[in-house]
Amino acid sequence: MKNAQIILVDDEKMVTSAFKTLLKVEGYTNVKCFNNPVEAIDFLKENTPDIIVSDFLMPEMNGLEFLTKAKELYPEVSMILLTGYADKENAIKAINEIGLYKYIEKPWDNDDLLLNVRNGIERSHLMSDLRDKIAQLEEAKKELEKYSTDLEKLVAERTKDLTIANSKLAGIINYCADGIIILDKKGNIEQANPACENMTGYSESTLKTKKFQEVAYITTKAGNQAIDNKSDCIFGLDKDKNDILVENCMIKNSLSGAEIPVEINFSSINSDDKTDKFVGVIRDVSKQKETERLRDDFIATLTHDLRTPLLAAIQTLKFFLDGSLGPVEEKQSVLLSTMLQSNEDLLGLVNALLEVYRFDSGKLTLCKTNFPIKDLVTQCYEELKPLADKKNIDFKLECDIDDKTEILADKSELKRVIINLCGNAVNYTNKGGEIQIIAKAQSGDLIFSVADNGNGIPKEDIPYLFNRFSQGTSRKRSTGTGLGLYLSRQIIEAHGGKIWLDSKLNKGSEFTFLLTNVVNEERQVVNG
């Protein structure tokens, strides 16, 4: 568009100079100005313009005569006549007789002039394309006439089917309830459908000036997190990946201010310019989230109501076992002990479900205090060591932390994480195996890891291991609830930390969590 060849003819040099300067400011680089219409005709015989603008009154040849000759050379090119108010009637007549595109009265409005020039260029291109298409259709018609009537009918049917298919595709894109957006790998928006406009509150033209990072963000337990705007690609978009699902994403509507939870499915697409392009289908999951919330509230209420009868049953069984209600025979004692253990396990599951619900709903507030971290790690180690000894496991603790070094965290919740990670290591390590617990404080951060030499976890299962109700791996399922690691991740992330797993099959696994800026430097005692 900016390289279009624009021809201006006016006998006044001041007009042509001002016109050319205006167009150059707007980015048009190929503007040819003539003060003599005869010279302009000679130029047009050798060069094809995209638009012609001519003055009406000129000495050697008036604008109507000049444009009539130009029309004979280039019938499809848009032509604009510049005229004074007194010549308005002649200009209208010229439009009807010669077929001019527009007339503009002097003095002109710059914005109006630029708009007409831009539209005229587009019209010229469309007319040229139309002419080419017509020529192609005429040629195709001659070829089609060589075939039989049945073949013509088949072509017509296929054309009709293609038209219907294109219409359906356009309807799917324009009337789809899900937002459809096209991005490059850096997040620059190149196209969006009406549903996407409704979600963001921006028009498509405005969205094209923005990055996706400006209209969306990721939600985490530690708070809202902006999508990375500094890396070479967002969401790890890669043309070699067939499908990328982005969850826990929020779009803020610029008009209403409403925050809309969405899930986005990205896929790579082929582009003409050989650059990486991705189409994203954005689904509003507001109703789904509300349904999940109602479901979780129901489960939490039901679970909470189970605690009272369970506690009553546990206490009653304890009364029987300790003889408070009379002597109990040995066989009865074994049966009652089994019942007690089952009820206590069920109570543990109920409590775990309630903890998960509290973290998911954001209703659980961490109670952070300063406490010696080495004492907590040692306490957890000593609680689990008898279980490790029972399986003849070499259970080691390496705690490179001063006895009085304190951290700021929720002690009971952090203990839950440490017990869970170490307990899993004991449960899934074979008899005679090795487990090493390492805890250290450095640069204000706490690093805790548990490594074992067990069977390991397949690489493809690692991303799902911290999900809710994930049980073991695809090769071997555990008998647990599948809530331990999920709850551990929730607790660590609520502290603003990270938890991850490194594992290799038949070599073992290492669970690690990192809490940043939790070590209270003022409460560390340096011996010496």
Side-chain angles (χ1 to χ4, degrees), residues 68-296:
T68 300
K69 292 181 178 295
K71 196 72 173 179
E72 293 173 357
L73 294 172
Y74 303 105
E76 292 88 6
V77 172
S78 299
M79 299 181 185
I80 298 176
L81 181 65
L82 299 177
T83 178
Y85 180 77
D87 299 314
K88 182 176 181 181
E89 183 177 348
N90 291 330
I92 295 174
K93 182 178 179 181
I95 289 177
N96 295 330
E97 293 181 359
I98 302 175
L100 301 184
Y101 170 57
K102 289 275 188 179
Y103 77 90
I104 298 177
E105 295 183 24
K106 293 182 178 179
W108 64 72
D109 178 78
N110 286 344
D111 291 337
D112 181 62
L113 177 62
L114 291 172
L115 176 63
N116 282 288
V117 168
R118 182 167 59 251
N119 292 341
I121 293 172
E122 291 180 356
R123 178 182 176 277
S124 297
H125 292 171
L126 290 173
M127 293 295 291
S128 177
D129 292 343
L130 181 60
R131 179 192 60 190
D132 294 340
K133 294 297 182 182
I134 291 174
Q136 294 174 10
L137 288 173
E138 289 295 334
E139 185 66 26
K141 182 180 179 181
K142 293 178 181 179
E143 293 294 329
L144 287 173
E145 288 175 353
K146 299 177 182 180
Y147 295 97
S148 65
T149 304
D150 291 342
L151 184 57
E152 291 180 355
K153 182 179 179 181
L154 179 61
V155 171
E157 290 176 353
R158 293 285 177 85
T159 303
K160 182 179 179 181
D161 291 342
L162 182 60
T163 302
I164 294 173
N166 288 337
S167 177
K168 289 181 178 179
L169 180 60
I172 290 172
I173 293 175
N174 293 325
Y175 299 102
C176 179
D178 293 334
I180 299 176
I181 194 168
I182 295 178
L183 312 173
D184 63 16
K185 67 179 183 179
K186 292 186 178 181
N188 295 302
I189 300 173
E190 299 188 357
Q191 191 172 340
N193 72 336
C196 188
E197 293 178 313
N198 293 336
M199 286 183 185
T200 60
Y202 293 112
S203 65
E204 183 181 20
S205 59
T206 303
L207 284 172
K208 287 181 179 179
T209 66
K210 296 180 176 294
K211 289 179 176 288
F212 190 70
Q213 298 93 307
E214 297 178 53
V215 298
Y217 58 86
I218 300 295
T219 59
T220 65
K221 292 299 176 185
N224 298 334
Q225 173 185 340
I227 299 170
D228 188 2
N229 196 23
K230 298 180 180 179
S231 63
D232 291 335
C233 60
I234 62 170
F235 302 127
L237 292 180
D238 189 335
K239 65 180 181 179
D240 296 327
K241 293 182 179 179
N242 294 327
D243 188 58
I244 298 176
L245 178 63
V246 179
E247 298 176 301
N248 300 324
C249 190
M250 300 288 286
I251 289 180
K252 186 171 183 178
N253 188 286
S254 63
L255 298 178
S256 66
E259 295 181 336
I260 305 171
V262 297
E263 291 181 352
I264 312 174
N265 200 310
F266 283 106
S267 296
S268 62
I269 56 177
N270 295 325
S271 59
D272 295 335
D273 55 5
K274 306 300 182 182
T275 57
D276 294 346
K277 300 291 175 61
F278 303 88
V279 58
V281 179
I282 308 173
R283 174 156 295 177
D284 184 345
V285 293
S286 300
K287 292 184 178 179
Q288 177 183 334
K289 293 292 185 182
E290 178 63 16
T291 301
E292 290 176 356
R293 186 190 66 79
L294 293 174
R295 180 198 63 195
D296 289 344

